[in-house]
Each structure stands twice: as C-alpha cells, then as structure tokens.
Amino acid sequence: MKNWKTAIAAALLALALTSAHAHAKAYKFFVPISEGLSMGSLSNMLKELAATAQSKTGIEIQVVDYTYEKGEDVMPRIVDMFKKKQIDFSFMFSQDFIKYAKSGENVAVPFFTITMFGKPYANMCVYTRKDDNLKTAQSLKGKVWGGTHTVATRYILYKNGIDQPMKKFFSKMVLINDSNTAAMLDALLENKIDAAVMASFQVGMVRANNKKYNALSEAQCVEYEHNWVFVHHKDLPKDLVAKIKKTFLNAHKDKDFAKFHFLMKAIQGHFVDIEAKDLKTTKEIVELAEDKGWFAEEKAFIGK
C-alpha cells in the first residue's frame, strides 16, 4: 500500500515545491522508495520537473534518491539527514511519525498531509474468495494468509477479540509482495492463499480495471493508519514554509497544476492540514504493536 502511493506523493510534492517563490539556496527533497518500484523513472521525472521550474522561478530542487529493502527501518536515516541538514523536506509514514514524535525529537516538523478517497487515513480490510464465505475474523483460523506486512492483520484480529501470534492462528503464512495489489488478489483467486489484508481503496482501483476481482469479498474493515506526514526542517525560513504549504493546500484547484490534477482525481484526494484527532488510531496501533511485539513479529517474518 505504501509504495505506489509514495510515488504519487513524491511527484505531487516536487511539483508543489517548484511553485514556491525563488530563494537563493537549493532545497533537497529526500525520496525513500521501497525496493520493487522503479526509482530511476520516478527520480528522472522529479528532476525534470525541478529543472523546468528552476528555469521559470529560480528555485533549485534537488531530489535525493534512496531505495530501501523490505523490512528496513528507514526512519533513522531520515532523522540523521535532517539533523545534519543534508535534506530540507521528506515524508514519513504515519506510524514512523508517531514513533518519532514519542522520541522527543523535533528537527523534522509536520506541515500537511494528503487525503485518499476523501479521508486522511486508510481503511484496511480482509479479502477472501466469495465462495469460501469467510465473513468473520474467527472463520480465518487455520487458513492460509498471504502478504508482507503483518501488523495490520494483527490489529484487525485484535479488534475482533483475537490476540495470538499469526503463525499460531493461521495454518501457513506465505510471503507475497503486498506492494503489488494485483499479485495479492491473483494469489487469492488461484487458491495459493485464503486471506489477505489490504487497503480498500487500493483494491478498489484494481477492481475498477478488472472485473475478475469481483469474485473476492471484503470483510472486517477497520480504520487504520493515517496517510503520510510531510515534514520540513525546523530551521527553514517561516515565509518559505508558509508559501509551500499554501501551494500544497490549493494545488487541487490551481490551474497551474491542471496537468497533474488527474493524479489527484485518481486518488480522489488532495493536500490538507494535519489534524491531531486523525492520528489517534495510528497512535493506538503503534502503542499496541510495541506493547504486544507486533513490530518484532513482522520484522522476523520479513527476515525469513
């Protein structure tokens, strides 16, 4: 779920940054992308946007590429680069941001987020084959689970009164790259797995292009993590931050962004202010995962 959304966010972020007024220094935008996505094509697109904008506005935006492996904790690298003033902008996954905020660090400051299908957070659902009639969390016991990240599944089970390790609850766990939604859904249709947990909007977009996936059903949907938290270095000039934020929040209705509005329409969302109340569920997930060892369980599974 995180990875393809990251690509969209990175493109929109670069475009918005290039619309601010000119400043003397070059500003660095750190783009961490999980392995499996085409970092080269994304980076080239961002650099082309930055170069075009520089000739128009005098702003130089340097894209700092970084591809990280599945299971790698990229947050320490982001924080370290902010501390060393090697980057000026980046984005954090919301669970990482919650952990960062709890640490007491303040070098990276949040200044906006993005909605997806009208919400600043994702709904996660259990997907199964309709013919299997698996409608409850309890009915999944002893079935074959597929995916990469396990915390969302643990959270759904927990919200349904089930609190036990995945390997004990399911008969088998199959590692599948959950960045590829179609591959996950195909594994279900081909009976390689019995259940998978994915974001509902992610599945909805794939279903819209291929009706074969209507043979799958979704159940046990829960509000899950907040969308990305975009951050800037705390020492950036306030006027620059204000201009960039204004550019972001108005991008969806700005004619200068017209050729990129299709991206926003595809996700039915746009940039908005961060509301503390919208991070409440993410905070709950992080605290449960830390207390009950869900993060360690996920890391061990991916490590295998």
Side-chain angles (χ1 to χ4, degrees):
M1 176 186 73
K2 297 176 179 179
N3 300 327
W4 73 267
K5 290 200 306 180
T6 299
I8 294 174
L12 293 176
L13 177 60
L15 186 65
L17 286 173
T18 58
S19 298
H21 293 295
H23 286 256
K25 68 165 283 186
Y27 293 94
K28 293 184 172 65
F29 168 37
F30 184 63
V31 182
I33 300 290
S34 176
E35 63 179 353
L37 292 183
S38 176
M39 188 68 225
S41 59
L42 173 60
S43 178
N44 289 336
M45 179 181 67
L46 296 179
K47 289 173 182 175
E48 183 178 348
L49 283 170
T52 302
Q54 181 176 343
S55 65
K56 180 181 178 180
T57 66
I59 298 175
E60 182 180 356
I61 303 295
Q62 297 178 354
V63 177
V64 181
D65 304 342
Y66 179 67
T67 302
Y68 62 93
E69 298 179 353
K70 283 282 185 182
E72 177 184 348
D73 184 1
V74 74
M75 271 298 292
R77 181 180 293 271
I78 294 176
V79 175
D80 183 61
M81 294 181 77
F82 267 115
K83 286 181 176 179
K84 293 177 179 177
K85 294 191 174 182
Q86 295 174 336
I87 58 175
D88 302 288
F89 304 97
S90 188
F91 49 84
M92 297 179 180
F93 298 121
S94 59
Q95 291 185 31
D96 287 337
F97 175 74
I98 292 295
K99 288 185 277 188
Y100 170 77
K102 289 174 63 178
S103 74
E105 296 276 9
N106 66 351
V107 68
V109 180
F111 63 145
F112 55 85
T113 185
I114 189 170
T115 57
M116 295 281 184
F117 290 76
K119 300 176 180 179
Y121 57 84
N123 283 324
M124 299 293 281
C125 302
V126 178
Y127 287 87
T128 60
R129 292 176 291 275
K130 284 183 179 179
D131 290 346
D132 289 351
N133 199 34
L134 302 174
K135 298 181 178 180
T136 66
Q138 288 74 16
S139 67
L140 299 175
K141 186 171 179 60
K143 302 301 180 181
V144 179
W145 176 93
T148 304
H149 297 90
T150 61
V151 172
T153 303
R154 285 301 301 267
Y155 183 68
I156 290 176
L157 292 176
Y158 179 81
K159 298 298 279 188
N160 283 275
I162 301 168
D163 186 12
Q164 65 181 116
M166 298 266 289
K167 62 183 180 181
K168 290 186 178 181
F169 182 77
F170 294 101
S171 62
K172 184 179 180 181
M173 295 173 65
V174 180
L175 184 64
I176 303 175
N177 185 353
D178 56 18
S179 299
N180 188 331
T181 307
M184 293 280 287
L185 299 181
D186 286 338
L188 280 167
L189 290 177
E190 294 164 8
N191 294 293
K192 293 178 180 178
I193 60 175
D194 301 315
V197 172
M198 289 171 281
S200 58
F201 75 83
Q202 193 176 350
V203 175
M205 293 180 72
V206 174
R207 272 179 167 167
N209 295 318
N210 196 325
K211 300 304 180 184
K212 73 176 182 179
Y213 298 123
N214 288 336
L216 303 175
S217 63
E218 63 184 33
Q220 305 304 316
C221 296
V222 298
E223 176 185 331
Y224 196 58
E225 64 187 356
H226 195 278
N227 296 333
W228 311 282
V229 177
F230 290 88
V231 295
H232 67 83
H233 195 286
K234 67 180 180 64
D235 292 337
L236 284 184
K238 292 183 178 180
D239 65 326
L240 175 67
V241 171
K243 289 171 183 174
I244 290 175
K245 183 173 182 178
K246 182 178 180 180
T247 300
F248 270 84
L249 300 190
N250 291 293
H252 62 292
K253 54 185 179 181
D254 187 337
K255 64 180 182 180
D256 291 336
F257 288 87
K259 66 179 181 179
F260 285 87
H261 284 172
F262 78 94
L263 284 174
M264 299 180 191
K265 288 181 180 178
I267 60 174
Q268 295 180 32
H270 59 274
F271 297 107
V272 297
D273 269 318
I274 292 178
E275 300 285 347
K277 63 180 177 61
D278 293 327
L279 286 161
K280 183 178 178 180
T281 299
T282 307
K283 185 173 183 292
E284 177 192 15
I285 294 167
V286 169
E287 291 176 347
L288 282 168
E290 290 177 336
D291 181 58
K292 295 180 174 294
W294 296 350
F295 288 136
E297 179 184 34
E298 179 176 276
K299 186 175 181 179
F301 175 66
I302 295 174
K304 289 182 178 180

